[in-house]
Amino acid sequence: MRRFTSVQDLIDGPGLDAALIDALEFARHPWINTELGRRKTVGLLFMNPSLRTRMSTQKAATLMGAETIILNAGSDSWTLETRDGVVMDGAATEHIKEAAGVMGRYCDVLGLRTFASLTDRQADYQEDILEKFIRYSGVPVVSLESATRHPLQSFADLITIEQMKRVARPKVVLTWAPHPKALPQAVANSFVEWMSHANVDLVVTHPHGYELAPEFVGGVTVTNDQDSALAGADFVYAKNWSAYEPYGQILSKDTSWTITEEKMLLTNRAQFMHCLPARRNMIVSDGVLDGPHSIVLQQAANRVVSAQTVLYYLLKGLQ
Ligand code: AN0
Ligand code: CP
């Protein structure tokens, strides 16, 4: 495998079923393959904040025996220009072209976090920055959340559902929930994309106006009635996202969409999921997040597993 930017890279590489089997094996035995990354360097470039992605990917690299170098663009490295052909007379000091090229000289595998601008939909949905980073670095790249997807998160979510499901084909509900700031669609897009390839019944629910991009939700069951979506759910995955049209806008902060204990009573004793960070009592009530059906920490733990499995394939590809 030469890159990991969406579920398609696993489908075209080892296959999704094989990747899930390998992931479950890494979850049980994290230290079984510490030689593959020996004398290899994994570089991680963050253009946005992170807790889980940063720590779990570093830990995953350590489990594979690799060194890591982590840079936060704009704070511990230079601010980066990403547009082509511009006169760099503004805040940005270095172009992503050189920055990626230089990092590719130091590192065998690179990770990049680059959130959606939420202003230029075309650039975001073409994955302009991620694609430039891939092109100019010359080494295998793993997405640490790009403008339209968060595949390491979705892979961890799939692993978690596989570990926790009580029926062969669970009902999984992705529900929009309110948030005070405009957030990307990446986590939701990606979750839908991965669940569409999984053995689950997926239902997406959101208020009017929060329709996700057609290339992600085409063929998926979508309803604006949250209560009917929650009926019989085995997993409830809450997430906020801003509108796709008008792009990046907040259309609602309606807290009747917050996941509460009352809402969870509509489900089939569903397990609660969120990628974190989560705003308490906006996205989800304290009672649900602190309650016995919350599996958010297991999801976070599985971020190590998804990153380890992906690094395993990328490092194998270097041999
Ligand atoms: C980001 C998002 O929604 O894409 C990262 C989630 C993993 N969340 C926030 O910025 C709060
Ligand atoms: N879930 C997730 O990606 O968290 P961070 O933004 O903290 O990395």
Side-chain angles (χ1 to χ4, degrees):
M1 206 164 77
R2 281 288 298 177
R3 61 146 84 176
F4 179 73
T5 60
S6 85
V7 67
Q8 200 58 44
D9 296 311
L10 285 187
I11 292 169
D12 295 342
L16 190 53
D17 290 345
L20 193 52
I21 290 168
D22 285 341
L24 294 169
E25 185 67 6
F26 279 127
R28 282 187 293 264
H29 307 289
W31 295 100
I32 50 173
N33 206 328
T34 52
E35 286 303 302
L36 194 60
R38 247 165 72 89
R39 300 185 184 165
K40 295 284 191 288
T41 302
V42 175
L44 306 176
L45 179 62
F46 287 88
M47 299 178 73
N48 316 96
S50 168
L51 187 162
R52 279 143 291 273
T53 305
R54 182 183 172 126
M55 294 185 71
S56 62
T57 312
Q58 183 169 26
K59 177 155 179 165
T62 303
L63 291 171
M64 299 308 293
E67 302 288 333
T68 43
I69 303 175
I70 302 180
L71 272 184
N72 300 306
S75 55
D76 49 31
S77 73
W78 303 106
T79 45
L80 297 181
E81 177 59 67
T82 58
R83 297 163 301 168
D84 291 322
V86 292
V87 178
M88 287 176 55
D89 61 355
T93 312
E94 178 162 27
H95 201 277
I96 192 167
K97 204 165 177 174
E98 287 75 52
V102 168
M103 291 186 74
R105 300 303 192 279
Y106 301 151
C107 302
D108 303 282
V109 173
L110 285 175
L112 175 68
R113 166 162 283 200
T114 177
F115 284 176
S117 67
L118 296 183
T119 52
D120 184 341
R121 186 167 88 181
Q122 197 185 355
D124 285 350
Y125 272 72
Q126 284 173 351
E127 291 290 4
D128 179 53
I129 298 175
L130 177 65
E131 289 300 331
K132 281 178 178 150
F133 193 73
I134 291 169
R135 189 169 343 127
Y136 300 133
S137 70
V139 298
V141 167
V142 44
S143 163
L144 306 174
E145 185 174 338
S146 68
T148 66
R149 292 179 176 88
H150 194 358
L152 283 176
Q153 180 66 52
S154 310
F155 190 14
D157 299 336
L158 176 64
I159 295 163
T160 308
I161 289 171
E162 192 61 29
Q163 290 169 332
M164 299 303 287
K165 68 184 185 185
R166 297 176 299 230
V167 292
R169 190 174 169 87
K171 177 176 177 181
V172 175
V173 176
L174 170 66
T175 178
W176 181 94
H179 193 280
K181 288 185 165 173
L183 296 187
Q185 295 112 30
V187 171
N189 285 344
S190 209
F191 186 73
V192 168
E193 192 168 56
W194 284 69
M195 287 302 119
S196 300
H197 291 285
N199 188 25
V200 303
D201 288 320
L202 175 68
V203 177
V204 178
T205 184
H206 55 68
H208 286 286
Y210 277 99
E211 290 72 25
L212 292 164
E215 66 252 45
F216 288 96
V217 284
V220 171
T221 306
V222 181
T223 172
N224 301 132
D225 180 349
Q226 191 191 42
D227 286 0
S228 77
L230 292 174
D234 297 296
F235 293 92
V236 173
Y237 196 110
K239 183 70 184 87
N240 174 267
W241 61 88
S242 60
Y244 181 70
E245 178 73 61
Y247 188 58
Q249 299 301 303
I250 296 176
L251 307 179
S252 166
K253 293 181 187 172
D254 181 357
T255 49
S256 74
W257 281 77
T258 301
I259 294 296
T260 60
E261 286 124 303
E262 295 72 46
K263 292 272 174 65
M264 292 298 277
L265 288 175
L266 300 170
T267 70
N268 180 29
R269 294 181 298 114
Q271 306 185 71
F272 176 80
M273 301 179 73
H274 189 278
C275 61
L276 303 180
R279 299 259 182 161
R280 280 175 177 262
N281 306 310
M282 284 293 293
I283 298 283
V284 54
S285 69
D286 286 331
V288 173
L289 197 53
D290 296 331
H293 303 301
S294 171
I295 55 171
V296 297
L297 296 185
Q298 186 165 338
Q299 276 176 272
N302 279 326
R303 291 295 307 274
V304 178
V305 180
S306 64
Q308 186 176 8
T309 309
V310 165
L311 286 178
Y312 167 69
Y313 295 131
L314 293 175
L315 290 167
K316 254 198 349 188
L318 296 176
Q319 287 183 322

